[in-house]
Structure formats: C-alpha cells, structure tokens
Amino acid sequence: MKTIQSMMEHLYWANSLIAEGMAKQNVSHPDALTLLRHTLVAEKVWLTRLEGKDSFEFVLWASGELQELLHMVKQNEEGYRAYIGKLREEDLDTIVHYRNQSGQPFENSIRNILTHVALHGQYHRGQINRILRMESSEPVPVDFILFKRQ
C-alpha cells in the first residue's frame, strides 16, 4: 500500500507542478493542452471505473482550456485521495470489472489500475515537456526522484 500511496502522491505533485508551470509560462500550444487534458480525463475515467461506474461519457482526446485543467487537477486529487483513503492492503488485489471506452469488457486488480494511473501520467508529462522545450519554454521537472528529494 505504501508504494501505491507514494506513486499517487507523486502523481498529485507532478500534475499540479506541470499545470502550474504551463500557466506561469502562458503555454497555449494545443498539443500540450490536449495531452494534459487527456492525462487528467484518463485519471477520471479510471477513478470512475474503480467506483464501479461506467466511463462512457468521457472523451479522452480533446483540447482544453488551462483554467479548466487546473481545476481538474484538484478534482482528481480529491477523488483519488478519498478513494485510496478507504482502501486496505488486502483490497488492492480485488478485481474490478469494467468496459473500456469502446464497450469492450476487461478486468484488472485495483493494484494494477492504480499503478497504471500513476505511470500513464508520467509518460504524457514527458511529452508535454518536450513540446515546451520545442516552443522555447522551460520544461517542468516532474521526475519521481525530485519529488522524493523534497
């Protein structure tokens, strides 16, 4: 449980840092905004599935406004903190049955879903940082070890 909690703490920190970094630099590159929105919507999709609900209403790939995305960062953190706060170690191996956005059925453990959520965002934050660098903006350092050094 401690590893999952640590990875999720990093996710909250990294999401906030990259969104705030983009806001401070007035980043408006549509690909960067789309990637950040995708990351945040995917997190919401997985939380919805973990809560036993359908996630069909969510559009994974679309553009977003930075102020809306900053709000989503906070909403996601609150939602995951509430969900994880109720989990016990033995709950992590519980199997969750869900359908993907195309309606195809799948099942995975809570542990694997939370691990995926934590890792998925790091991939896209890296893509965002590449865009920032290409646009002559400063990349936002969001590596796990930097989080742990604080």
Side-chain angles (χ1 to χ4, degrees):
M1 191 72 182
K2 287 182 181 181
T3 300
I4 293 288
Q5 288 172 325
S6 181
M7 290 173 69
M8 294 304 290
E9 289 295 328
H10 170 257
L11 177 140
Y12 310 144
W13 172 83
N15 279 351
S16 292
L17 205 62
I18 201 141
E20 291 166 9
M22 290 170 67
K24 285 178 188 171
Q25 297 183 71
N26 295 315
V27 173
S28 60
H29 193 286
D31 291 344
L33 293 170
T34 297
L35 284 165
L36 180 57
R37 184 188 174 283
H38 167 76
T39 301
L40 298 171
V41 170
E43 289 171 10
K44 183 63 177 168
V45 164
W46 283 110
L47 182 58
T48 301
R49 292 171 180 167
L50 286 166
E51 293 171 337
K53 303 173 196 167
D54 285 330
S55 61
F56 299 126
E57 68 188 83
F58 298 103
V59 177
L60 285 168
W61 290 104
S63 188
E65 296 294 323
L66 197 48
Q67 289 306 311
E68 168 201 11
L69 301 178
L70 286 163
H71 182 67
M72 286 177 70
V73 166
K74 290 180 179 138
Q75 282 185 317
N76 284 359
E77 179 177 345
E78 290 170 6
Y80 274 100
R81 282 190 187 281
Y83 178 80
I84 292 170
K86 297 175 188 172
L87 289 179
R88 298 165 299 157
E89 178 70 32
E90 55 269 21
D91 296 331
L92 292 175
D93 294 317
T94 300
I95 299 300
V96 175
H97 301 270
Y98 61 92
R99 292 186 180 276
N100 68 6
Q101 298 310 96
S102 301
Q104 188 176 3
F106 288 96
E107 59 182 50
N108 291 101
S109 69
I110 292 172
R111 179 186 318 274
N112 287 341
I113 290 170
L114 291 174
T115 300
H116 169 73
V117 169
L119 297 174
H120 175 258
Q122 190 65 3
Y123 174 73
H124 291 305
R125 287 186 295 272
Q127 290 178 306
I128 292 167
N129 271 332
R130 184 170 187 272
I131 292 168
L132 295 180
R133 179 170 276 126
M134 289 172 39
E135 294 293 313
S136 300
S137 294
E138 283 295 315
V140 181
V142 291
D143 289 336
F144 182 80
I145 199 67
L146 298 176
F147 165 71
K148 283 304 197 179
R149 288 177 185 161
Q150 294 187 353

